[in-house]
Amino acid sequence: DAKTTQPTSMDCAEGRAANLPCNHSTISGNEYVYWYRQIHSQGPQYIIHGLKNNETNEMASLIITEDRKSSTLILPHATLRDTAVYYCIVRVAESGGSNYKLTFGKGTLLTVNP
Amino acid sequence: DAMVIQNPRYQVTQFGKPVTLSCSQTLNHNVMYWYQQKSSQAPKLLFHYYDKDFNNEADTPDNFQSRRPNTSFCFLDIRSPGLGDAAMYLCATSRWTAGAEQYFGPGTRLTVT
């Protein structure tokens, strides 16, 4: 799986949009970008994933650059409960081999401030 | 609500005393995973089951074993815990479809004294 690079930490004001960047310059054509988050003392939680088109769900939006070498997770109206470590993971979304694995990097600690 | 349940949430064991952590799921997923997360580190996969097929990660120590008696339950056995095994142990489940997301339990925090 391609490696990802994320900032160690970010701050965001409550009610504002939080934009979390991720670099994955060595991503392969069949690799998807996944985002998970882990609130303190809880298990990780799936947020969203995408291949090359922008994706949106009830939690967040995912913007992937045209060359697919980077992406941004957007939380449109951050709340205090969004304070967590956010993990960007690149993963092949095909059955078989080691494709089941989630290989977590260090992630970004997002702190939402009142 | 369908979910992944881990018991206990906190476990204290003595150095060298075997310990078992349990995980159950109501999602009817055919894949179950065990991750280890040490303090200030990212989760690291130990092994997973696809139905009853056990798949060990290459760098998982022999001290760690697992059992899956049925679809709903999975156990993590640590045969002789060392101080370095103190960590959060996370259970997760998923469907075996391409790119399926994993659903995590709240974890069991293991302390070794």
Side-chain angles (χ1 to χ4, degrees):
Chain A
D1 290 348
K3 291 196 184 320
T4 62
T5 304
Q6 299 177 252
T8 302
S9 63
M10 294 183 65
D11 286 316
C12 177
E14 188 177 20
R16 303 296 294 268
N19 297 284
L20 292 100
C22 180
N23 286 323
H24 30 78
S25 59
T26 60
I27 192 170
S28 301
N30 62 347
E31 288 180 315
Y32 285 66
V33 180
Y34 285 76
W35 284 83
Y36 282 75
R37 73 179 183 183
Q38 187 173 22
I39 296 170
H40 183 63
S41 295
Q42 297 184 21
Q45 177 189 22
Y46 166 81
I47 301 173
I48 199 168
H49 75 280
L51 181 63
K52 54 184 177 181
N53 297 321
N54 297 337
E55 302 287 344
T56 296
N57 62 22
E58 64 277 5
M59 289 183 69
S61 295
L62 175 60
I63 308 297
I64 303 174
T65 58
E66 191 169 344
D67 64 7
R68 305 211 317 123
K69 293 185 177 182
S70 66
S71 61
T72 301
L73 179 74
I74 301 172
L75 307 179
H77 305 288
T79 70
L80 299 179
R81 287 176 294 182
D82 292 321
T83 293
V85 176
Y86 286 77
Y87 296 101
C88 170
I89 300 167
V90 172
R91 177 190 178 202
V92 177
E94 295 172 358
S95 297
S98 63
N99 297 337
Y100 55 87
K101 289 181 70 166
L102 286 177
T103 303
F104 291 85
K106 295 186 186 301
T108 296
L109 173 61
L110 174 70
T111 302
V112 180
N113 300 304
Chain B
D1 285 342
M3 59 177 57
V4 180
I5 302 159
Q6 291 189 246
N7 286 307
R9 293 293 311 277
Y10 300 91
Q11 176 74 57
V12 180
T13 191
Q14 293 178 334
F15 182 94
K17 185 175 181 181
V19 65
T20 295
L21 310 181
S22 70
C23 176
S24 63
Q25 55 137 337
T26 60
L27 297 161
N28 204 33
H29 285 166
N30 52 4
V31 190
M32 295 187 77
Y33 310 79
W34 280 104
Y35 289 82
Q36 179 192 61
Q37 185 174 25
K38 295 187 176 181
S39 182
S40 300
Q41 295 184 20
K44 181 177 178 297
L45 184 66
L46 294 173
F47 27 61
H48 79 281
Y49 274 94
Y50 170 42
D51 289 332
K52 286 193 171 292
D53 291 336
F54 177 72
N55 298 271
N56 200 32
E57 292 300 296
D59 56 355
T60 298
D62 292 340
N63 197 27
F64 292 88
Q65 304 288 321
S66 186
R67 296 170 283 135
R68 190 180 185 186
N70 54 52
T71 300
S72 300
F73 285 87
C74 195
F75 300 98
L76 170 62
D77 300 309
I78 308 176
R79 294 192 295 189
S80 181
L83 298 179
D85 296 327
M88 175 78 85
Y89 290 88
L90 296 159
C91 175
T93 72
S94 75
R95 295 184 303 274
W96 187 250
T97 55
E101 60 263 35
Q102 295 185 16
Y103 294 79
F104 286 80
T108 294
R109 183 166 296 282
L110 178 69
T111 300
V112 182
T113 60

